[in-house]
Tab-separated table of all heavy atoms in Angstrom:
chain	number	residue	atom	x	y	z
A	34	GLY	N	8.819	10.504	-8.025
A	34	GLY	CA	9.293	11.020	-9.300
A	34	GLY	C	10.236	12.192	-9.128
A	34	GLY	O	11.052	12.482	-9.997
A	35	GLN	N	10.142	12.846	-7.973
A	35	GLN	CA	11.044	13.963	-7.679
A	35	GLN	C	11.749	13.807	-6.341
A	35	GLN	O	12.787	14.398	-6.107
A	35	GLN	CB	10.279	15.291	-7.725
A	35	GLN	CG	9.062	15.324	-6.834
A	35	GLN	CD	8.255	16.590	-7.004
A	35	GLN	OE1	8.811	17.679	-7.047
A	35	GLN	NE2	6.946	16.456	-7.121
A	36	ARG	N	11.214	12.964	-5.474
A	36	ARG	CA	11.765	12.786	-4.133
A	36	ARG	C	12.754	11.621	-4.098
A	36	ARG	O	12.417	10.501	-4.449
A	36	ARG	CB	10.615	12.474	-3.169
A	36	ARG	CG	11.069	12.147	-1.771
A	36	ARG	CD	9.897	11.701	-0.903
A	36	ARG	NE	10.391	11.262	0.379
A	36	ARG	CZ	9.924	10.237	1.050
A	36	ARG	NH1	8.932	9.527	0.564
A	36	ARG	NH2	10.433	9.898	2.201
A	37	GLU	N	13.966	11.878	-3.701
A	37	GLU	CA	14.992	10.866	-3.502
A	37	GLU	C	14.928	9.734	-4.536
A	37	GLU	O	14.677	8.583	-4.201
A	37	GLU	CB	14.880	10.274	-2.093
A	37	GLU	CG	15.050	11.283	-0.983
A	37	GLU	CD	14.844	10.676	0.388
A	37	GLU	OE1	15.824	10.160	0.947
A	37	GLU	OE2	13.694	10.694	0.866
A	38	PRO	N	15.188	10.045	-5.788
A	38	PRO	CA	15.065	9.023	-6.838
A	38	PRO	C	16.003	7.833	-6.639
A	38	PRO	O	15.712	6.739	-7.124
A	38	PRO	CB	15.386	9.789	-8.123
A	38	PRO	CG	16.055	11.038	-7.704
A	38	PRO	CD	15.590	11.344	-6.315
A	39	GLU	N	17.074	8.006	-5.890
A	39	GLU	CA	17.977	6.880	-5.613
A	39	GLU	C	17.292	5.800	-4.766
A	39	GLU	O	17.662	4.640	-4.813
A	39	GLU	CB	19.271	7.352	-4.942
A	39	GLU	CG	19.119	7.884	-3.526
A	39	GLU	CD	18.666	9.344	-3.430
A	39	GLU	OE1	18.292	9.953	-4.448
A	39	GLU	OE2	18.689	9.872	-2.303
A	40	HIS	N	16.278	6.178	-4.003
A	40	HIS	CA	15.511	5.216	-3.200
A	40	HIS	C	14.185	4.846	-3.858
A	40	HIS	O	13.725	3.713	-3.754
A	40	HIS	CB	15.212	5.778	-1.802
A	40	HIS	CG	16.402	5.906	-0.929
A	40	HIS	ND1	17.175	4.837	-0.524
A	40	HIS	CD2	16.978	7.009	-0.382
A	40	HIS	CE1	18.165	5.267	0.230
A	40	HIS	NE2	18.064	6.585	0.339
A	41	TYR	N	13.551	5.823	-4.494
A	41	TYR	CA	12.169	5.636	-4.930
A	41	TYR	C	11.982	5.617	-6.443
A	41	TYR	O	10.869	5.403	-6.918
A	41	TYR	CB	11.285	6.725	-4.302
A	41	TYR	CG	11.405	6.743	-2.798
A	41	TYR	CD1	12.002	7.801	-2.139
A	41	TYR	CD2	10.936	5.669	-2.041
A	41	TYR	CE1	12.126	7.806	-0.756
A	41	TYR	CE2	11.059	5.667	-0.664
A	41	TYR	CZ	11.663	6.739	-0.027
A	41	TYR	OH	11.783	6.725	1.344
A	42	GLY	N	13.045	5.876	-7.201
A	42	GLY	CA	12.947	5.835	-8.652
A	42	GLY	C	12.357	7.099	-9.244
A	42	GLY	O	12.120	8.088	-8.554
A	43	GLN	N	12.088	7.050	-10.550
A	43	GLN	CA	11.601	8.200	-11.305
A	43	GLN	C	10.093	8.172	-11.530
A	43	GLN	O	9.515	9.146	-11.974
A	43	GLN	CB	12.297	8.249	-12.672
A	43	GLN	CG	13.807	8.345	-12.599
A	43	GLN	CD	14.292	9.680	-12.070
A	43	GLN	OE1	13.648	10.708	-12.265
A	43	GLN	NE2	15.424	9.673	-11.392
A	44	VAL	N	9.451	7.051	-11.259
A	44	VAL	CA	8.032	6.892	-11.546
A	44	VAL	C	7.193	7.757	-10.601
A	44	VAL	O	7.554	7.949	-9.443
A	44	VAL	CB	7.625	5.402	-11.464
A	44	VAL	CG1	7.702	4.880	-10.049
A	44	VAL	CG2	6.258	5.173	-12.053
A	45	THR	N	6.101	8.295	-11.131
A	45	THR	CA	5.216	9.116	-10.305
A	45	THR	C	4.115	8.254	-9.692
A	45	THR	O	3.841	7.136	-10.156
A	45	THR	CB	4.555	10.229	-11.139
A	45	THR	OG1	3.662	9.632	-12.082
A	45	THR	CG2	5.594	11.086	-11.850
A	46	LEU	N	3.469	8.789	-8.687
A	46	LEU	CA	2.364	8.076	-8.058
A	46	LEU	C	1.211	7.885	-9.047
A	46	LEU	O	0.579	6.826	-9.074
A	46	LEU	CB	1.893	8.817	-6.808
A	46	LEU	CG	0.883	8.074	-5.949
A	46	LEU	CD1	1.438	6.736	-5.463
A	46	LEU	CD2	0.457	8.926	-4.775
A	47	ALA	N	0.963	8.878	-9.869
A	47	ALA	CA	-0.101	8.756	-10.878
A	47	ALA	C	0.187	7.601	-11.829
A	47	ALA	O	-0.730	6.859	-12.214
A	47	ALA	CB	-0.246	10.066	-11.649
A	48	GLU	N	1.443	7.420	-12.196
A	48	GLU	CA	1.818	6.305	-13.076
A	48	GLU	C	1.615	4.967	-12.377
A	48	GLU	O	1.118	4.011	-12.991
A	48	GLU	CB	3.267	6.458	-13.541
A	48	GLU	CG	3.475	7.626	-14.482
A	48	GLU	CD	4.935	7.955	-14.747
A	48	GLU	OE1	5.785	7.774	-13.836
A	48	GLU	OE2	5.231	8.408	-15.864
A	49	ILE	N	1.969	4.893	-11.121
A	49	ILE	CA	1.754	3.657	-10.356
A	49	ILE	C	0.266	3.356	-10.272
A	49	ILE	O	-0.169	2.226	-10.538
A	49	ILE	CB	2.380	3.761	-8.946
A	49	ILE	CG1	3.902	3.731	-9.039
A	49	ILE	CG2	1.869	2.642	-8.031
A	49	ILE	CD1	4.618	4.042	-7.741
A	50	ASP	N	-0.524	4.333	-9.905
A	50	ASP	CA	-1.969	4.123	-9.775
A	50	ASP	C	-2.594	3.685	-11.098
A	50	ASP	O	-3.444	2.787	-11.124
A	50	ASP	CB	-2.649	5.392	-9.258
A	50	ASP	CG	-2.445	5.615	-7.769
A	50	ASP	OD1	-2.050	4.666	-7.061
A	50	ASP	OD2	-2.688	6.747	-7.316
A	51	GLN	N	-2.176	4.305	-12.198
A	51	GLN	CA	-2.724	3.930	-13.508
A	51	GLN	C	-2.343	2.499	-13.877
A	51	GLN	O	-3.162	1.733	-14.371
A	51	GLN	CB	-2.260	4.896	-14.596
A	51	GLN	CG	-2.911	4.634	-15.936
A	51	GLN	CD	-4.431	4.745	-15.874
A	51	GLN	OE1	-4.963	5.787	-15.509
A	51	GLN	NE2	-5.144	3.667	-16.210
A	52	ARG	N	-1.105	2.144	-13.620
A	52	ARG	CA	-0.647	0.775	-13.920
A	52	ARG	C	-1.443	-0.246	-13.112
A	52	ARG	O	-1.856	-1.284	-13.633
A	52	ARG	CB	0.856	0.664	-13.629
A	52	ARG	CG	1.420	-0.715	-13.809
A	52	ARG	CD	1.498	-1.110	-15.267
A	52	ARG	NE	2.156	-2.412	-15.341
A	52	ARG	CZ	1.829	-3.349	-16.209
A	52	ARG	NH1	0.890	-3.128	-17.103
A	52	ARG	NH2	2.460	-4.494	-16.210
A	53	LEU	N	-1.681	0.035	-11.844
A	53	LEU	CA	-2.454	-0.884	-11.009
A	53	LEU	C	-3.897	-0.980	-11.486
A	53	LEU	O	-4.475	-2.070	-11.517
A	53	LEU	CB	-2.394	-0.447	-9.546
A	53	LEU	CG	-1.017	-0.511	-8.893
A	53	LEU	CD1	-1.072	0.036	-7.479
A	53	LEU	CD2	-0.455	-1.919	-8.905
A	54	ALA	N	-4.478	0.140	-11.860
A	54	ALA	CA	-5.848	0.127	-12.379
A	54	ALA	C	-5.924	-0.714	-13.645
A	54	ALA	O	-6.861	-1.517	-13.817
A	54	ALA	CB	-6.319	1.559	-12.651
A	55	ASP	N	-4.934	-0.574	-14.523
A	55	ASP	CA	-4.910	-1.344	-15.765
A	55	ASP	C	-4.740	-2.839	-15.494
A	55	ASP	O	-5.417	-3.673	-16.107
A	55	ASP	CB	-3.788	-0.854	-16.681
A	55	ASP	CG	-4.024	0.555	-17.218
A	55	ASP	OD1	-5.172	1.070	-17.134
A	55	ASP	OD2	-3.035	1.151	-17.709
A	56	LEU	N	-3.831	-3.187	-14.586
A	56	LEU	CA	-3.610	-4.597	-14.244
A	56	LEU	C	-4.871	-5.226	-13.653
A	56	LEU	O	-5.236	-6.353	-14.007
A	56	LEU	CB	-2.447	-4.738	-13.254
A	56	LEU	CG	-1.043	-4.530	-13.800
A	56	LEU	CD1	-0.039	-4.484	-12.650
A	56	LEU	CD2	-0.684	-5.643	-14.774
A	57	ALA	N	-5.520	-4.505	-12.759
A	57	ALA	CA	-6.739	-5.027	-12.138
A	57	ALA	C	-7.847	-5.180	-13.183
A	57	ALA	O	-8.532	-6.207	-13.227
A	57	ALA	CB	-7.194	-4.120	-11.000
A	58	ALA	N	-8.024	-4.170	-14.017
A	58	ALA	CA	-9.077	-4.215	-15.031
A	58	ALA	C	-8.866	-5.380	-15.996
A	58	ALA	O	-9.835	-6.027	-16.410
A	58	ALA	CB	-9.127	-2.890	-15.787
A	59	ALA	N	-7.613	-5.660	-16.331
A	59	ALA	CA	-7.313	-6.757	-17.246
A	59	ALA	C	-7.749	-8.106	-16.667
A	59	ALA	O	-7.997	-9.051	-17.412
A	59	ALA	CB	-5.819	-6.782	-17.567
A	60	ARG	N	-7.865	-8.171	-15.365
A	60	ARG	CA	-8.309	-9.406	-14.700
A	60	ARG	C	-9.740	-9.284	-14.189
A	60	ARG	O	-10.201	-10.109	-13.399
A	60	ARG	CB	-7.342	-9.771	-13.574
A	60	ARG	CG	-5.965	-10.074	-14.154
A	60	ARG	CD	-5.039	-10.957	-13.437
A	60	ARG	NE	-5.523	-12.039	-12.663
A	60	ARG	CZ	-4.823	-12.621	-11.693
A	60	ARG	NH1	-3.609	-12.172	-11.406
A	60	ARG	NH2	-5.317	-13.628	-11.018
A	61	GLY	N	-10.435	-8.220	-14.606
A	61	GLY	CA	-11.843	-8.065	-14.279
A	61	GLY	C	-12.121	-7.465	-12.917
A	61	GLY	O	-13.206	-7.656	-12.356
A	62	HIS	N	-11.162	-6.703	-12.385
A	62	HIS	CA	-11.307	-6.123	-11.056
A	62	HIS	C	-11.186	-4.602	-11.116
A	62	HIS	O	-10.902	-4.024	-12.153
A	62	HIS	CB	-10.277	-6.720	-10.098
A	62	HIS	CG	-10.358	-8.206	-10.007
A	62	HIS	ND1	-11.423	-8.860	-9.429
A	62	HIS	CD2	-9.525	-9.170	-10.467
A	62	HIS	CE1	-11.230	-10.163	-9.518
A	62	HIS	NE2	-10.086	-10.380	-10.137
A	63	HIS	N	-11.381	-3.974	-9.964
A	63	HIS	CA	-11.405	-2.517	-9.866
A	63	HIS	C	-10.472	-2.080	-8.741
A	63	HIS	O	-10.379	-2.739	-7.712
A	63	HIS	CB	-12.841	-2.069	-9.562
A	63	HIS	CG	-12.980	-0.611	-9.291
A	63	HIS	ND1	-12.860	0.345	-10.270
A	63	HIS	CD2	-13.208	0.062	-8.138
A	63	HIS	CE1	-13.012	1.542	-9.732
A	63	HIS	NE2	-13.231	1.395	-8.440
A	64	THR	N	-9.790	-0.959	-8.958
A	64	THR	CA	-8.965	-0.371	-7.898
A	64	THR	C	-9.478	1.011	-7.558
A	64	THR	O	-10.053	1.710	-8.388
A	64	THR	CB	-7.480	-0.247	-8.314
A	64	THR	OG1	-7.386	0.565	-9.477
A	64	THR	CG2	-6.850	-1.600	-8.562
A	65	GLU	N	-9.256	1.376	-6.313
A	65	GLU	CA	-9.504	2.725	-5.823
A	65	GLU	C	-8.225	3.162	-5.141
A	65	GLU	O	-7.590	2.359	-4.449
A	65	GLU	CB	-10.631	2.662	-4.785
A	65	GLU	CG	-11.647	3.736	-4.939
A	65	GLU	CD	-12.750	3.543	-3.923
A	65	GLU	OE1	-12.602	4.049	-2.792
A	65	GLU	OE2	-13.730	2.884	-4.287
A	66	HIS	N	-7.849	4.414	-5.314
A	66	HIS	CA	-6.558	4.895	-4.826
A	66	HIS	C	-6.739	6.114	-3.936
A	66	HIS	O	-7.568	6.972	-4.225
A	66	HIS	CB	-5.663	5.295	-6.005
A	66	HIS	CG	-5.570	4.234	-7.051
A	66	HIS	ND1	-4.586	3.300	-7.068
A	66	HIS	CD2	-6.374	3.950	-8.103
A	66	HIS	CE1	-4.767	2.486	-8.085
A	66	HIS	NE2	-5.859	2.864	-8.737
A	67	LEU	N	-5.929	6.184	-2.889
A	67	LEU	CA	-5.915	7.366	-2.031
A	67	LEU	C	-4.510	7.567	-1.498
A	67	LEU	O	-3.911	6.636	-0.951
A	67	LEU	CB	-6.884	7.211	-0.853
A	67	LEU	CG	-6.815	8.325	0.205
A	67	LEU	CD1	-7.320	9.650	-0.358
A	67	LEU	CD2	-7.596	7.939	1.448
A	68	GLN	N	-3.991	8.770	-1.668
A	68	GLN	CA	-2.744	9.176	-1.035
A	68	GLN	C	-3.083	10.267	-0.054
A	68	GLN	O	-3.861	11.178	-0.350
A	68	GLN	CB	-1.741	9.701	-2.069
A	68	GLN	CG	-0.357	10.034	-1.493
A	68	GLN	CD	-0.252	11.368	-0.764
A	68	GLN	OE1	-0.898	12.356	-1.122
A	68	GLN	NE2	0.558	11.407	0.279
A	69	SER	N	-2.503	10.173	1.146
A	69	SER	CA	-2.688	11.247	2.110
A	69	SER	C	-1.448	11.384	2.986
A	69	SER	O	-0.815	10.387	3.347
A	69	SER	CB	-3.908	10.994	2.995
A	69	SER	OG	-4.081	12.089	3.897
A	70	ASN	N	-1.176	12.624	3.328
A	70	ASN	CA	-0.134	12.921	4.300
A	70	ASN	C	-0.715	12.928	5.711
A	70	ASN	O	0.012	13.142	6.675
A	70	ASN	CB	0.511	14.271	3.985
A	70	ASN	CG	1.229	14.251	2.654
A	70	ASN	OD1	1.884	13.275	2.306
A	70	ASN	ND2	1.086	15.314	1.887
A	71	SER	N	-2.011	12.687	5.815
A	71	SER	CA	-2.711	12.736	7.090
A	71	SER	C	-3.078	11.338	7.585
A	71	SER	O	-3.791	10.594	6.908
A	71	SER	CB	-3.997	13.560	6.937
A	71	SER	OG	-4.814	13.408	8.070
A	72	GLU	N	-2.643	11.027	8.766
A	72	GLU	CA	-2.984	9.751	9.397
A	72	GLU	C	-4.499	9.620	9.562
A	72	GLU	O	-5.074	8.558	9.313
A	72	GLU	CB	-2.278	9.680	10.755
A	72	GLU	CG	-2.475	8.388	11.510
A	72	GLU	CD	-1.705	8.413	12.814
A	72	GLU	OE1	-1.739	9.446	13.533
A	72	GLU	OE2	-1.070	7.397	13.128
A	73	THR	N	-5.153	10.700	9.935
A	73	THR	CA	-6.604	10.693	10.145
A	73	THR	C	-7.345	10.311	8.871
A	73	THR	O	-8.268	9.492	8.899
A	73	THR	CB	-7.086	12.073	10.626
A	73	THR	OG1	-6.401	12.391	11.840
A	73	THR	CG2	-8.580	12.097	10.847
A	74	VAL	N	-6.959	10.871	7.752
A	74	VAL	CA	-7.615	10.574	6.473
A	74	VAL	C	-7.469	9.092	6.140
A	74	VAL	O	-8.429	8.438	5.709
A	74	VAL	CB	-7.049	11.473	5.348
A	74	VAL	CG1	-7.531	11.012	3.984
A	74	VAL	CG2	-7.426	12.929	5.601
A	75	LEU	N	-6.287	8.545	6.343
A	75	LEU	CA	-6.062	7.126	6.049
A	75	LEU	C	-6.887	6.237	6.976
A	75	LEU	O	-7.505	5.260	6.525
A	75	LEU	CB	-4.573	6.793	6.132
A	75	LEU	CG	-3.710	7.463	5.060
A	75	LEU	CD1	-2.231	7.302	5.377
A	75	LEU	CD2	-4.034	6.920	3.670
A	76	VAL	N	-6.925	6.545	8.259
A	76	VAL	CA	-7.733	5.775	9.208
A	76	VAL	C	-9.205	5.809	8.806
A	76	VAL	O	-9.878	4.772	8.770
A	76	VAL	CB	-7.542	6.295	10.653
A	76	VAL	CG1	-8.590	5.717	11.592
A	76	VAL	CG2	-6.135	5.967	11.154
A	77	GLU	N	-9.704	6.985	8.493
A	77	GLU	CA	-11.119	7.105	8.121
A	77	GLU	C	-11.433	6.331	6.850
A	77	GLU	O	-12.484	5.694	6.752
A	77	GLU	CB	-11.510	8.576	7.988
A	77	GLU	CG	-11.572	9.250	9.347
A	77	GLU	CD	-11.795	10.752	9.291
A	77	GLU	OE1	-11.714	11.347	8.184
A	77	GLU	OE2	-12.041	11.336	10.358
A	78	ARG	N	-10.514	6.326	5.891
A	78	ARG	CA	-10.760	5.582	4.648
A	78	ARG	C	-10.765	4.073	4.914
A	78	ARG	O	-11.574	3.333	4.348
A	78	ARG	CB	-9.715	5.942	3.585
A	78	ARG	CG	-9.961	5.247	2.253
A	78	ARG	CD	-11.321	5.664	1.677
A	78	ARG	NE	-11.692	4.867	0.541
A	78	ARG	CZ	-12.465	3.774	0.587
A	78	ARG	NH1	-12.939	3.336	1.740
A	78	ARG	NH2	-12.765	3.112	-0.506
A	79	ILE	N	-9.871	3.620	5.760
A	79	ILE	CA	-9.846	2.198	6.134
A	79	ILE	C	-11.151	1.826	6.821
A	79	ILE	O	-11.748	0.776	6.531
A	79	ILE	CB	-8.626	1.887	7.036
A	79	ILE	CG1	-7.331	2.020	6.225
A	79	ILE	CG2	-8.747	0.499	7.659
A	79	ILE	CD1	-6.079	2.097	7.073
A	80	GLN	N	-11.638	2.670	7.702
A	80	GLN	CA	-12.892	2.386	8.409
A	80	GLN	C	-14.090	2.345	7.470
A	80	GLN	O	-15.059	1.632	7.729
A	80	GLN	CB	-13.116	3.421	9.514
A	80	GLN	CG	-12.141	3.272	10.659
A	80	GLN	CD	-12.305	4.366	11.698
A	80	GLN	OE1	-13.079	5.313	11.532
A	80	GLN	NE2	-11.561	4.243	12.786
Side-chain angles (χ1 to χ4, degrees):
Q35 54 186 315
R36 175 186 174 219
E37 300 176 87
E39 68 278 9
H40 291 298
Y41 305 112
Q43 301 291 329
V44 68
T45 67
L46 189 59
E48 292 169 327
I49 289 171
D50 284 344
Q51 186 59 58
R52 176 72 175 144
L53 295 176
D55 292 345
L56 287 171
R60 296 206 33 201
H62 303 292
H63 174 72
T64 59
E65 224 177 87
H66 309 267
L67 173 68
Q68 185 281 326
S69 182
N70 296 320
S71 169
E72 183 178 44
T73 301
V74 170
L75 294 169
V76 167
E77 288 173 350
R78 183 61 190 95
I79 292 165
Q80 290 176 354

